[in-house]
Amino acid sequence: MSELNRRKFLKSAVAAAAVGITAGCSTTMSQQSANPLAQGKTVMGLTPEKLDTVRIGFIGLGVRGYNYHLKNFLKMDGVRVTALCDTDQKSLQNSVNYVTSLGLPKPATFSGSDFAYRGMLERDDVDIVIISTPWKWHCPMAVDAMESGKHAFVEVPMATSIEECWKMVDASERNQRHCMMMENVNYGRDELMVLNMVRQGLFGELLHGEAAYIHELRWQMKEIERKTGSWRTYWHTRHNGNLYPTHGLGPVAQYMNINKGDRFDFVTSTSSPALGRARYAKEHFPADHERNQLNFIAGDMNTSVIKTIKGRTIVVQHDTTSPRPYSRHNLIQGTNGIFAGFPNRIAVEKAPAEIQAIYDRTYQQDLADWKASGKQGRKPSPASFHSWDSDLDKWYNKFDHPLWKRLGDSAKGAGHGGMDFIMAYRIIYCLRNGEPLDQDVYDGAAWSSIFPLSAESVADRSNSKNIPDFTRGAWKTGKPLGIVT
């Protein structure tokens, strides 16, 4: 880091700390929706200088950082991994070995303390920082990265409090650096296809969405010293709300152009009893084990309802405890029909001509078969919105997103059905071509804010809580994400 940048880093850090202290003294829970004074211009549509080669530093190289980020970014053209940081020596060395096994130069390494990452931020050969650490570190690491002139890319959720959301928004605006929450589900094949359907008007005017993270993760409680369960388990003892809202919410928010023509207005939330984790601990650990001494307060199922400024509704659910199949819901309802995921199905009132032709041929064949059988059974009916269509092949043929048509084969086997690969590709493409990112700091803040606000609502007998306008009004003129090719 040059001396000029170092002075700027220290000056900005002091300013940010002062703002944080002031906010901490004057902001009560009931005033969290206040709109702090902007410290820089908006980053809506931010297009910094092009990076011919994107030089990356990684903070956090556990399962997520190593398998899904380091490996995928190294598949991209125009990328150099220049620095690696982790407090765990085994994870750090494993990542170094992987980089050098590809015949690439050995990256600089940083370890030894929780703040070793700051040494990485002083380097002039790091353009962006990928942060894949426990949640409590997302905000301080991202803010430090932006204050040092780096772009910050943060795992989900981006923040765990409204104060943290504002700190990240302020740092991004103050330094004109990207801060993107890496919500990989936005790049899933189905989610991108539905976005394409929405953009082409298939569902008419949008009315309602449903999103979820329903994923049985009690087994992570057995991760005591290392891996996700060693720290994530304790969040269930501190907050009763939606602890992980963004996987399902991110895609639905993009369908609805949240922060780009509409925005979240308020949320109300309620939780079921918290029973499953205590029961699991009792069944799988000795009576005197630390896991049996914990007081789990996060309801096994949390249900939150968001209202947008335009009057749309979004149901968001969270359950990582109950024994049930995985689901993100991924439902979008409009005036002409509906798509719902897990399992995928669709129903529309007016189908595209080529799909309507398929429906008509199928109906005529079913009708002929029914007549040939002597009119046994129920008479077939024409396809309509009264019944689900679960045969999605024809819909994929018409609406598959251009990114998946072009990159789907390369994405196979690259993590979470390929969505991690597509996300890494888009990040690098935008940075190298000087284009706005698909998501910005306002998106990460809005989607993550449901975590603390849902807990506040639950604690207040499910009374609604205002969701801050992190864009400071820029949502009114923001350009919605198009169908990038």
Side-chain angles (χ1 to χ4, degrees), residues 216 218 221-222 275-287 289 291-292 321 323:
E216 193 278 303
R218 290 172 299 175
M221 293 170 63
K222 294 182 178 180
L275 302 178
R277 288 183 176 260
R279 177 181 177 183
Y280 186 88
K282 184 176 181 180
E283 292 175 350
H284 291 85
F285 297 96
H289 193 278
R291 291 294 195 244
N292 272 307
T321 300

Side-chain angles (χ1 to χ4, degrees), residues 48-258:
E49 67 283 355
K50 294 181 182 180
L51 299 173
D52 292 333
T53 299
V54 182
R55 300 169 299 179
I56 309 179
F58 289 82
I59 308 175
L61 292 157
V63 174
R64 187 83 181 140
Y66 173 70
N67 284 321
Y68 301 118
H69 292 324
L70 179 66
K71 288 184 175 181
N72 275 317
F73 278 99
L74 280 171
K75 295 175 183 177
M76 305 299 148
D77 292 334
V79 163
R80 281 180 52 207
V81 175
T82 55
L84 301 172
C85 178
D86 201 299
T87 56
D88 183 79
Q89 286 295 323
K90 182 177 179 181
S91 297
L92 184 61
Q93 190 59 50
N94 190 42
S95 297
V96 170
N97 293 343
Y98 181 77
V99 174
T100 57
S101 74
L102 300 176
L104 300 172
K106 181 181 177 181
T109 57
F110 299 85
S111 189
S113 76
D114 287 342
F115 294 95
Y117 72 90
R118 288 179 172 170
M120 171 193 289
L121 300 182
E122 294 183 355
R123 296 180 65 92
D124 290 325
D125 63 350
V126 175
D127 300 309
I128 76 171
V129 179
I130 307 294
I131 300 168
S132 310
T133 55
W135 300 345
K136 71 176 183 178
W137 287 103
H138 288 183
C139 176
M141 288 178 171
V143 170
D144 282 351
M146 288 184 280
E147 301 293 4
S148 65
K150 323 299 186 192
H151 300 295
F153 294 83
V154 191
E155 257 302 331
V156 299
M158 188 179 84
T160 60
S161 71
I162 300 301
E163 181 185 14
E164 285 186 343
C165 289
W166 277 119
K167 284 182 177 180
M168 297 171 90
V169 168
D170 289 342
S172 181
E173 292 181 343
R174 186 168 55 245
N175 296 283
Q176 293 296 292
R177 297 290 88 182
H178 288 304
C179 183
M180 173 180 162
M181 182 175 67
M182 295 183 291
E183 182 41 81
N184 59 338
V185 177
N186 288 319
Y187 298 91
R189 183 185 184 186
D190 294 332
E191 287 78 7
L192 284 173
M193 179 182 72
V194 175
L195 180 65
N196 195 16
M197 290 173 164
V198 168
R199 292 294 184 265
Q200 294 193 40
L202 177 64
F203 303 115
E205 292 293 318
L206 300 186
L207 303 166
H208 172 76
E210 295 182 14
Y213 186 67
I214 296 173
H215 188 186
E216 193 278 303
L217 294 175
R218 290 172 299 175
W219 53 270
Q220 287 184 341
M221 293 170 63
K222 294 182 178 180
E223 297 174 341
I224 307 298
E225 300 294 334
R226 304 176 76 250
K227 298 186 177 182
T228 306
S230 65
W231 54 266
R232 188 165 168 175
T233 297
Y234 298 101
W235 286 95
H236 291 263
T237 71
R238 300 168 187 158
H239 302 275
N240 183 9
N242 189 322
L243 306 184
Y244 204 66
T246 70
H247 275 338
L249 182 57
V252 172
Q254 288 199 156
Y255 306 154
M256 291 187 176
N257 294 335
I258 298 301

